[in-house]
Amino acid sequence: MWDYTDKVKDHFLNPRNAGAVDAPDLDATVGNITCGDALRLTVKLDEAGRIADAKFQTFGCASAIASSDALIELVKGKTVDEAEAITNDDIAEYLGGLPEAKLHCSVMGMEALQKAIAQHRHRPFDLEDAGEVICQCFGVTDTLIEKVVREHSLTTVDEVTHYTKAGGGCGACHAAIERIIANVREETQSGPEPGARRPKLTNIERMRRVEEVIEAEIRPVFQADGGDIELVDIVGSTVQVAFRGKCAWCRQRDFTADGTIGGKLRELVDETITVEDVSERLGDER
Amino acid sequence: MSDVIYMDNNATTRVADEVREAMAPYLAKAYGNPSSVHTFGGRIAHDVDRARQQVADLLGCDPTEVVFTSCGTESDNTAIRSALAVYPARRHVVTSRVEHPAVRNLALRLARGEGVLPRYRHTELPVNSDGTLDLPDVGNALDDDTAVCSIMWANNETGVVFPVERIGAMCRETGVLFHTDAVQAVGKIPMTLADLPIDMLSVSGHKLHAPKGIGALYVRRGCRFSPWLIGGHQEAERRGGTEAVAQIVALGAAAELAGRRIDEERTRVVALRDRLERELLARCPDARVNGTTASRLPNTTNISFEYIEGESILLMLDEYGICASSGSACTTGSLEPSHVLRAMGVPYTAAHGSVRFSLSVENTDADVDKVIEVLPPIIKRLRELSPFGREE
């Protein structure tokens, strides 16, 4: 059982602002049903540009619903500029705190607000639109991860997961999240760390390293989910792999090949590596 | 909380009054060690023997085939690790994708080579969308290199019952040890292990109205066995450690009670469960049952309510003192829905909104009335809050 404050329970059981406003001026949805939570925020502005009314519709757990309701309590009556300053901390604080693993619910509230404001200003919504999707399971971009790492001085992947859910699924993006954390820390600390340059590899060394990394780092992740991959060949810096088991018909396979496996190999072996999926060429087992 | 309606019996059960009374003396005056030479302790060995007989009667086996353990997880671990120890040259294990973590995570560790290098080959059999296994898959998975096949008797989340007799026969044919985690099946499904091709079987006390902290492992006579917990001579050297006498006596009493109530489980409890399920499906649109209803535990139903999230449902039920559980991400403590529903390919939209009701002989018609009165408005309320809904 989650340890929710009375305020969370109250806003979950008796939300004040559920629904959608009529003819909204701003209408923003973040999250989706697959990820387990989603929030639609509708806003009515008055002539002075103040938030006259706002409502939410939320799919999610008790803390997601309570965070949505708290967000609306916080933005009502504010100008868009004032509302822009609201952070996920304000939402969590309003509720008397959230369990650590539920902080992403407050971040979802902040995201919906930022998205609505971006709409108001006719600007792209950077947290979704800009940057690269790092966590494929929950569709989280590096822009959002960087933002929470910076604003909350996060140092571990677990913390990033608590705030954004990134890394909470298959785990294949953990290395990428670690890299973002390292980059942000490097930036915020004075001067770059004396990072050792990776020595150039011979072909033989590269092949051996690729094999080792696939065996030790990549296959266990796939196997844990009922699938597998096979290293088929290494042609220059192109690594050819074939998917087996569950992975053979997984719809996420496209980005898994160069994204997940390639990312890991580029990180641990050689930056020039690309990964090619040759499952079909070998004739799918199924 | 006084007025609790408890429908989470696959998670744990209430300790039955007569079970508590049976164990009480061993927490008071009868504190001796069954291994002692003096009468005060030594006579307690007879009480342990009686409990062993009671468990054997429920399982339909010989008492010498019953080993007391601390819990179902220990039984599962002991069985699988024993099979690996007695067949050290074999490097393959077979399980299903819907096993309890006690089996699944152990198998995944073996496959990763954690603590057991070189790593084991692991075949994790898929299940169909109705939660059932394809028997030919089992046969295809078994080979000369397979040390153990471990498939649960009944799934804890969906209640789906697996054809263990046929799986066991296939294992026997190929000379593979067969273990089944029967934690959810014992006491709900009559069984005569003497007649079944099952080598090892796990039992958990707290799923059948005994306290937590006691389990048992059935080891068929003649089955090669290697103990996991090494210590004294207890349990015929199959499990070291001073006997947890009170808990063992409790498990014996619970087994006897379960034997007496098993018919009621298969008549009255089934009727309660069926009425609950039927009424909820009739009163809540966009709801569906997860798992086949053709071969299922008498007490379990797992229902998905589309467009809403399970934790919210549970917490609103909690306001009425109704206890159930969910396979949604938020309630599993992870961010993904239960591995069982994912293995069945239940769409995430439905998996997030799944609720499991698991009844027991202690539930009444009034309990079912209350749930079918209270839940439909909760579902409606949460759907009003949700941005999703049926496409118009």
Side-chain angles (χ1 to χ4, degrees):
Chain A
M1 176 64 92
W2 298 106
D3 209 0
Y4 289 133
T5 64
D6 288 343
K7 197 114 192 234
V8 171
K9 284 184 205 154
D10 181 33
H11 280 270
F12 163 61
L13 293 171
N14 312 296
R16 285 76 163 156
N17 308 293
V21 302
D22 288 335
D25 295 305
L26 306 174
D27 186 342
T29 301
V30 292
N32 65 64
I33 200 165
T34 311
C35 293
D37 45 21
L39 163 54
R40 178 183 177 213
L41 171 66
T42 49
V43 176
K44 192 86 193 153
L45 298 172
D46 66 14
E47 280 160 20
R50 274 182 192 276
I51 296 171
D53 196 10
K55 287 195 184 301
F56 77 88
Q57 287 173 299
T58 290
F59 165 86
C61 55
S63 59
I65 289 170
S67 293
S68 308
D69 203 44
L71 166 73
I72 308 245
E73 292 291 304
L74 288 168
V75 299
K76 264 203 277 191
K78 290 205 165 66
T79 65
V80 171
D81 282 347
E82 286 164 353
E84 192 168 21
I86 292 169
T87 66
N88 70 292
D89 286 339
D90 297 327
I91 295 171
E93 200 174 300
Y94 182 89
L95 293 169
L98 285 172
E100 199 184 11
K102 295 285 189 176
L103 284 168
H104 61 84
C105 296
S106 63
V107 172
M108 180 169 74
M110 179 273 292
E111 277 184 273
L113 176 64
Q114 299 286 338
K115 188 167 181 175
I117 291 172
Q119 214 175 62
H120 179 64
R121 304 223 159 109
H122 306 288
R123 281 193 199 142
F125 178 49
D126 284 348
L127 297 180
E128 261 177 24
D129 304 336
E132 182 192 345
V133 173
I134 298 293
C135 169
Q136 304 290 354
C137 295
F138 295 105
V140 185
T141 61
D142 54 357
T143 324
L144 178 62
I145 296 172
E146 256 179 62
K147 181 177 161 76
V148 295
V149 169
R150 209 180 299 273
E151 287 176 2
H152 302 278
S153 309
L154 306 185
T155 56
T156 66
V157 174
D158 272 356
E159 288 174 334
V160 170
T161 307
H162 292 328
Y163 275 87
T164 65
K165 298 171 87 166
C170 72
C173 62
H174 285 188
I177 295 173
E178 272 165 12
R179 240 183 350 259
I180 294 174
I181 294 171
N183 288 344
V184 171
R185 287 174 68 81
E186 204 171 294
E187 238 174 70
T188 49
Q189 280 160 5
S190 51
E193 284 182 29
R197 242 342 261 138
R198 196 183 281 156
K200 193 157 164 42
L201 297 173
T202 66
N203 278 339
I204 306 262
E205 282 168 342
R206 184 198 284 136
M207 284 162 85
R208 194 177 304 132
R209 280 292 293 147
V210 166
E211 261 179 326
E212 282 170 7
V213 170
I214 286 183
E215 214 33 58
E217 306 274 336
I218 298 173
R219 288 189 67 202
V221 175
F222 283 81
Q223 286 167 343
D225 239 8
D228 205 350
I229 65 157
E230 186 188 320
L231 174 61
V232 177
D233 203 356
I234 303 172
V235 184
S237 60
T238 302
V239 175
Q240 297 180 332
V241 297
F243 289 85
R244 295 285 175 254
K246 277 274 162 195
C247 301
W249 60 89
C250 175
R251 61 190 160 77
Q252 300 195 334
R253 205 169 90 189
D254 290 347
F255 47 73
T256 306
D258 197 54
T260 311
I261 304 170
K264 198 87 193 169
L265 291 174
R266 283 189 286 276
E267 178 201 351
L268 297 175
V269 185
D270 183 343
E271 283 127 19
T272 62
I273 288 178
T274 53
V275 173
E276 192 186 348
D277 173 7
V278 296
S279 315
E280 315 286 341
R281 211 180 297 170
L282 295 173
D284 215 302
E285 289 173 320
R286 291 262 164 176
Chain B
M1 294 232 275
S2 50
D3 289 309
V4 163
I5 294 178
Y6 191 76
M7 293 198 181
D8 202 9
N9 287 280
N10 288 8
T12 195
T13 58
R14 189 180 76 86
V15 177
D17 296 343
E18 58 192 286
V19 169
R20 196 174 53 250
E21 283 161 22
M23 76 187 287
Y26 302 90
L27 298 170
K29 287 183 181 166
Y31 58 81
N33 186 327
S35 300
S36 298
V37 172
H38 45 73
T39 313
F40 174 73
R43 69 179 178 195
I44 286 176
H46 296 298
D47 303 330
V48 170
D49 286 343
R50 192 182 61 237
R52 201 182 305 281
Q53 182 66 55
Q54 287 167 316
V55 173
D57 288 345
L58 180 64
L59 300 180
C61 68
D62 193 87
T64 58
E65 297 174 310
V66 174
V67 179
F68 289 115
T69 65
S70 66
C71 59
T73 296
E74 187 195 323
S75 298
D76 289 340
N77 267 263
T78 303
I80 292 172
R81 290 168 190 271
S82 164
L84 304 185
V86 299
Y87 289 114
R90 300 186 179 190
R91 307 299 296 183
H92 180 220
V93 294
V94 176
T95 64
S96 82
R97 293 201 73 194
V98 297
E99 293 303 312
H100 185 274
V103 169
R104 183 161 190 256
N105 287 339
L106 174 58
L108 294 177
R109 279 176 68 95
L110 295 171
R112 287 196 296 266
E114 283 174 41
V116 284
L117 281 170
R119 65 181 64 173
Y120 277 79
R121 206 153 49 82
H122 175 211
T123 303
E124 201 174 52
L125 300 169
V127 293
N128 299 313
S129 58
D130 65 358
T132 59
L133 279 173
D134 280 333
L135 276 174
D137 284 353
V138 182
N140 293 337
L142 304 172
D143 59 35
D144 298 349
D145 196 35
T146 310
V148 63
C149 171
S150 178
I151 306 284
M152 65 200 336
W153 193 312
N155 185 266
N156 47 314
E157 291 190 31
T158 59
V160 169
V161 172
F162 293 108
V164 285
E165 183 169 1
R166 298 178 64 188
I167 296 170
M170 292 169 125
C171 288
R172 191 154 287 184
E173 231 168 71
T174 25
V176 171
L177 282 183
F178 177 51
H179 164 252
T180 183
D181 177 345
V183 157
Q184 298 293 346
V186 171
K188 295 174 195 147
I189 298 174
M191 53 185 72
T192 307
L193 294 181
D195 299 337
L196 291 174
I198 291 171
D199 295 308
M200 290 179 280
L201 173 143
S202 300
V203 181
S204 167
H206 75 105
K207 311 288 192 193
L208 59 150
H209 303 280
K212 295 155 191 69
I214 183 70
L217 178 66
Y218 159 82
V219 183
R220 187 181 49 77
R221 187 182 296 157
C223 171
R224 297 175 65 189
F225 184 82
S226 170
W228 184 33
L229 222 51
I230 308 291
H233 57 84
Q234 296 91 351
E235 300 298 304
E237 297 188 21
R238 291 169 297 183
R239 199 269 189 185
T242 298
E243 296 87 343
V245 176
Q247 288 90 327
I248 288 172
V249 168
L251 179 58
E256 192 187 314
L257 181 64
R260 286 206 305 271
R261 301 204 290 202
I262 203 161
D263 287 335
E264 185 184 354
E265 187 85 48
R266 294 158 57 74
T267 51
R268 193 176 67 82
V269 175
V270 168
L272 288 177
R273 188 274 313 270
D274 287 351
R275 183 162 74 90
L276 174 71
E277 183 175 277
R278 196 171 56 241
E279 290 294 327
L280 289 178
L281 293 178
R283 292 167 193 227
C284 304
D286 297 320
R288 49 180 256 187
V289 174
N290 293 312
T292 180
T293 54
S295 173
R296 198 164 48 149
L297 288 174
N299 75 323
T300 307
T301 177
N302 187 315
I303 305 178
S304 275
F305 300 93
E306 297 259 6
Y307 316 124
I308 53 178
E309 199 279 329
E311 188 207 273
S312 297
I313 304 172
L314 294 189
L315 288 183
M316 287 201 170
L317 283 173
D318 195 52
E319 289 294 300
Y320 297 91
I322 298 168
C323 307
S325 68
S326 168
S328 90
C330 288
T331 51
T332 58
S334 75
L335 293 166
E336 295 204 317
S338 95
H339 72 282
V340 174
L341 300 182
R342 278 191 288 150
M344 290 160 62
V346 173
Y348 275 34
T349 55
H352 285 303
S354 69
V355 178
R356 176 190 71 187
F357 296 97
S358 46
L359 284 62
S360 82
V361 288
E362 300 197 341
N363 286 115
T364 62
D365 271 310
D367 292 348
V368 171
D369 289 342
K370 183 73 179 175
V371 176
I372 60 188
E373 173 203 326
V374 161
L375 184 55
I378 289 176
I379 302 299
K380 188 161 176 285
R381 170 92 182 108
L382 286 169
R383 282 186 179 154
E384 283 164 5
L385 290 181
S386 173
F388 304 114
R390 197 188 298 188
E391 298 288 329
E392 294 299 329

